[in-house]
Amino acid sequence: MKLQEYRSKEILAQYGVPLQAGTTATTPEEAEAIARTIARPVVVKAQVLVGGRGKAGGVKLAETPEEAARHAEAILGMSIKGITVRTVLVAPAANIASEFYLALILDRAAKAITVITSAEGGVEIEKTASTHPEAILRMPLHPLIGLQEHNIRRVAFFLGISPDLRREFRQVLRGLYDAFVGTDADLAEINPLAITEDGRLTALDAKIVLDDSALARHPDLELMRDLNEEERSETAARQAGINFIKLDGSIGCMVNGAGLAMTTMDLVKLAGGEPANFLDIGGGAKADKVAAAFRIILDDPNVKAILINIFGGITRGDEVARGIVEARTTLARHVPMVVRIVGTNAAEAAPILAEANLITADSLDEAAAKAVAAARADA
Amino acid sequence: MSILVSGATRLVVQGITGREGEFHSHAMQAFGTQIVAGVTPGKGGQTALNGSVPVFDTMAEAVREVGANASCIFVPAAAAPDAILEAADAAVALIVCITENIPALDMLRVYHVLRQQGIRLLGPNCPGLTSVAERAKVGIIPNDIHRPGSVGLVSRSGTLTYEVVQAMTDAGIGQSTCVGIGGDPIVGTGFIDVLDMFNEDPETEAMVMIGEIGGEEEERAAAFVKREVRKPMAAFIAGRTAPAGRRMGHAGAIISGGAGTAESKRAALDAAGVAVADSPSHIPQLLRAAGVGG
């Protein structure tokens, strides 16, 4: 789960990272009032979870509270990569002398928490990696004892932090590490970490991505989820315990298992169609869950056909077949359905599907082709 | 011979009295696995699987009393890392963790502790493994999809693995051992570990690898194959249509910063001489073309 900049900064501030947090506003009037209470100039920043805010005009400097209000008015309601801006952050602007990139990631290859840092702050690290890979330090931390003082020194020397800022730098990296571990993050990034003209270290932008598997033990962080940036259907799916991601195609997919669900999407594409979603219904798949999955898929008006692909292992095919037939009667909208059920109790599932006049297929390739044809015929 | 499990495997199931644990223990027993014990703290002294298996409070007892040498874990995510460590402390040789949604930072610590102890962990968030010829299964792979043979299969997925195994069986191509390494970012055993074992296993003549988007494990496996493997290989990579930056069900299946795409993995495998399939159903014909018999 990605956290908004202001949420990420709230967390980093709690862990002692020096920064000017600022305050969020949802109206130009609020933005103006906030700007009156803090040192000027101020920066007005769109709070969205997509990159490229600056380029899209979502970050503006204001010399006066009135200008802050005008910028907020322009930014609020603006669409950045399809996301409507509903909140802006108003914070004191900094006079930047130099800037750095500093992040911690869950490093799958090194099986460690790894520091990634560069003296080229303010640009995306992927960009630096492609243009000046030698400007990046990647340093895996010991997985059992964590961040040590010598690790902090090495990063500070690599970045050329001056002796009078070492104590403050220690506080930044220590705070970032404690925040990473304390929130069960996948990524905790400060970009840029700036040295201001008056010689202070400050985190100007921050991004934290949390490990979804750990959210159960962080109910306080779960509350930071931004529902405005989640598709309505994805919210409904999450609440129903279904893994779902909305895409742009016309073929709805309902599958058990994540790998098979991705494969089903790939084969729809290979058959000349476009998948409308990723959906892993999980194990079991009783009628109520199947019904919820149908509602979520059909909520998308682009969906012209549904492909159901179930490999019965733990999940019993006849149970899913009955679930499909039962759930179908509750639907508001009907589109052609192609059903492929194999594995445990597939033989018992076949007559149930036949009686309900559903299109069936033996192989996944055949099912994908039939779903694509059905979507075209229906269009 | 087979890899990781055999007729000599004496399995203890941690969480045997839970719904999942009990269901799959019955299936493992039916397949032929020797289940010698169950562990559920507080239920020591009871029996499980229709009275055929003693239940102990601790792993230490299960090992001491009945000589368990492998463990299969079905306990919930919050307790699973501790269950893995308990099994490792009891010094079983192989631990298979089925549980999903274990926090990654917990697994990081567990991974390194087990490495220091020299104990093999498969998973978490995996379907386990099945040695087809030896009739030994640890995990949840369906019993009736196999045919004994000489192809070793390794996969990051669950139902997609069953799909490929079934396609091979239907085409008359049998398997030696099928291994699911799990869909999490931090897993105990990787592709290279398993490919290395298959490469050394006289019973395995060819290999199938099922990967998916996220991380760079498939690319590293491709480099290993190019360097070390002379047995024929076919592969499938799921997620060519997956959008970047989204977690596709498995915690580890995410394209981040342009890395971990299906195309990158397919290209790496292709360059290593591995036949890469566009559909799971093409795997049998690719194996045939590489000279694999029944």
Side-chain angles (χ1 to χ4, degrees):
Chain A
M1 179 172 111
K2 293 179 192 165
L3 294 180
Q4 295 284 9
E5 175 192 3
Y6 74 96
R7 296 292 200 187
S8 305
K9 282 180 166 173
E10 267 172 41
I11 291 169
L12 292 183
Q14 281 165 22
Y15 285 92
V17 174
L19 52 82
Q20 300 281 333
T23 308
T24 55
T26 54
T27 64
E29 295 72 32
E30 273 175 30
E32 183 174 345
I34 295 160
R36 268 185 214 294
T37 64
I38 56 181
R40 271 156 272 168
V42 299
V43 61
V44 182
K45 303 171 88 175
Q47 296 297 289
V48 286
L49 295 173
V50 293
R53 287 179 302 175
K55 268 188 206 135
V59 180
K60 294 275 189 220
L61 209 62
E63 298 292 340
T64 64
E66 293 74 22
E67 196 184 354
R70 280 198 301 280
H71 287 323
E73 180 151 26
I75 293 171
L76 288 165
M78 168 191 278
S79 172
I80 301 179
K81 292 185 184 167
I83 303 292
T84 304
V85 180
R86 293 166 193 272
T87 304
V88 291
L89 179 64
V90 184
N95 288 314
I96 302 168
S98 53
E99 42 190 355
F100 311 101
Y101 177 95
L102 182 65
L104 293 168
I105 61 158
L106 176 78
D107 188 339
R108 308 161 63 138
K111 302 223 168 27
I113 298 171
T114 291
V115 178
I116 297 181
T117 192
S118 160
E120 306 202 351
V123 289
E124 283 177 23
I125 194 71
E126 289 86 1
K127 201 168 209 173
T128 313
S130 63
T131 54
H132 305 92
E134 71 289 347
I136 297 173
L137 172 70
R138 265 187 94 103
M139 184 178 66
L141 302 173
H142 193 289
L144 301 179
I145 58 173
L147 182 72
Q148 301 295 302
E149 290 302 312
H150 68 86
N151 300 135
I152 300 175
R153 284 200 301 276
R154 184 167 167 213
V155 177
F157 282 116
F158 177 82
L159 294 176
I161 302 287
S162 64
D164 54 318
L165 280 174
R166 297 256 169 81
R167 271 178 73 99
E168 221 174 326
F169 182 76
R170 180 186 179 282
Q171 203 181 328
V172 172
L173 186 46
R174 178 62 64 192
L176 187 65
Y177 178 81
D178 290 345
F180 187 99
V181 174
T183 61
D184 274 292
D186 272 344
L187 168 78
E189 176 187 88
I190 301 174
N191 187 29
L193 171 67
I195 298 179
T196 59
E197 279 175 354
D198 58 355
R200 287 175 302 110
L201 261 177
T202 182
L204 290 186
D205 196 356
K207 181 160 99 185
I208 293 179
V209 180
L210 301 172
D211 175 4
D212 291 351
S213 297
L215 277 174
R217 63 185 178 202
H218 298 290
D220 52 328
L221 299 176
E222 174 63 51
L223 296 175
M224 292 187 175
R225 187 185 293 278
D226 193 330
L227 295 176
N228 283 327
E229 285 205 33
E230 192 174 59
E231 290 281 348
R232 190 182 47 174
S233 52
E234 292 183 4
T235 308
R238 193 160 42 73
Q239 285 159 355
I242 293 169
N243 266 317
F244 173 85
I245 291 170
K246 190 183 169 310
L247 302 168
D248 299 326
S250 63
I251 314 248
C253 301
M254 188 192 304
V255 188
N256 66 330
L260 192 57
M262 275 190 272
T263 302
T264 303
M265 288 162 42
D266 294 350
L267 292 186
V268 164
K269 175 94 177 179
L270 209 60
E274 290 289 341
N277 64 276
F278 164 92
L279 191 153
D280 169 14
I281 197 162
K286 293 252 162 44
D288 55 341
K289 209 163 180 187
V290 174
F294 274 138
R295 279 194 298 274
I296 289 158
I297 292 170
L298 288 171
D299 187 51
D300 177 356
N302 291 334
V303 170
K304 300 280 184 281
I306 297 178
L307 166 50
I308 301 163
N309 182 27
I310 303 293
F311 199 108
I314 319 164
T315 306
R316 285 172 27 211
D318 54 336
E319 212 171 271
V320 180
R322 267 190 290 274
I324 293 167
V325 172
E326 201 180 309
R328 207 169 56 134
T329 61
T330 68
L331 299 176
R333 183 161 85 88
H334 286 273
V335 298
M337 286 184 193
V338 179
V339 187
R340 180 214 181 213
I341 296 178
V342 289
T344 309
N345 291 9
E348 289 83 347
I352 301 170
L353 298 174
E355 200 178 322
N357 282 321
L358 289 158
I359 309 167
T360 57
D362 292 331
S363 77
L364 178 48
D365 309 70
E366 183 195 343
K370 282 184 171 173
V372 172
R376 288 214 179 108
D378 200 58
Chain B
M1 273 306 291
S2 60
I3 67 164
L4 293 166
V5 289
S6 69
T9 297
R10 296 175 62 77
L11 187 72
V12 49
V13 176
Q14 291 174 263
I16 199 168
T17 54
R19 196 166 54 94
E20 298 279 306
E22 190 182 3
F23 177 84
H24 290 292
S25 293
H26 276 293
M28 283 189 270
Q29 210 175 39
F31 190 78
T33 309
Q34 265 194 87
I35 301 183
V36 297
V39 165
T40 300
K43 294 197 175 170
Q46 300 183 8
T47 59
L49 308 186
N50 309 321
S52 66
V53 169
V55 176
F56 299 99
D57 286 322
T58 65
M59 279 296 294
E61 285 170 282
V63 169
R64 191 180 63 227
E65 301 299 323
V66 293
N69 59 15
S71 171
C72 188
I73 296 179
F74 287 98
V75 309
D82 186 54
I84 298 172
L85 293 172
E86 185 187 357
D89 262 351
V92 294
L94 171 72
I95 301 168
V96 176
C97 184
I98 308 300
T99 310
E100 68 177 319
N101 291 322
I102 298 178
L105 290 184
D106 291 2
M107 277 318 300
L108 216 55
R109 286 186 284 271
V110 168
Y111 174 88
H112 289 280
V113 169
L114 263 67
R115 248 177 90 94
Q116 286 178 355
Q117 290 174 309
I119 289 170
R120 167 72 59 197
L121 169 68
L122 189 66
N125 190 15
C126 80
L129 80 165
T130 298
S131 165
V132 184
E134 299 252 349
R135 302 299 296 173
K137 148 174 142 169
V138 179
I140 63 173
I141 299 175
N143 287 359
D144 51 5
I145 60 175
H146 300 285
R147 171 192 169 102
S150 62
V151 178
L153 182 141
V154 58
S155 170
R156 262 167 82 183
S157 191
T159 48
L160 175 56
T161 308
Y162 317 158
E163 179 85 36
V164 174
V165 173
Q166 185 76 63
M168 286 165 62
T169 294
D170 291 346
I173 297 178
Q175 306 93 42
S176 55
T177 307
C178 298
V179 184
I181 59 173
D184 273 4
I186 307 289
V187 290
T189 298
F191 277 128
I192 295 175
D193 300 311
V194 180
L195 292 174
D196 195 19
M197 287 183 250
F198 280 143
N199 204 27
E200 302 299 320
D201 175 27
E203 194 190 56
T204 298
E205 288 168 13
M207 304 174 220
V208 171
M209 177 175 143
I210 312 293
E212 63 189 32
I213 56 156
E216 288 167 346
E217 175 89 12
E218 288 85 353
E219 285 87 338
R220 276 195 302 278
F224 171 81
V225 168
K226 198 169 185 174
R227 210 171 54 238
E228 305 280 344
V229 175
R230 294 294 167 266
K231 296 180 180 181
M233 257 188 87
F236 177 75
I237 303 291
R240 291 172 95 174
T241 51
R246 303 298 306 267
R247 174 171 141 152
M248 307 298 286
H250 291 152
I254 180 166
I255 298 168
S256 43
T261 64
E263 293 314 322
S264 147
K265 294 168 192 299
R266 288 170 57 95
L269 288 163
D270 187 58
V274 177
V276 184
D278 285 334
S279 165
S281 66
H282 300 168
I283 294 271
Q285 70 208 53
L286 293 180
L287 288 170
R288 289 266 187 244
V292 176

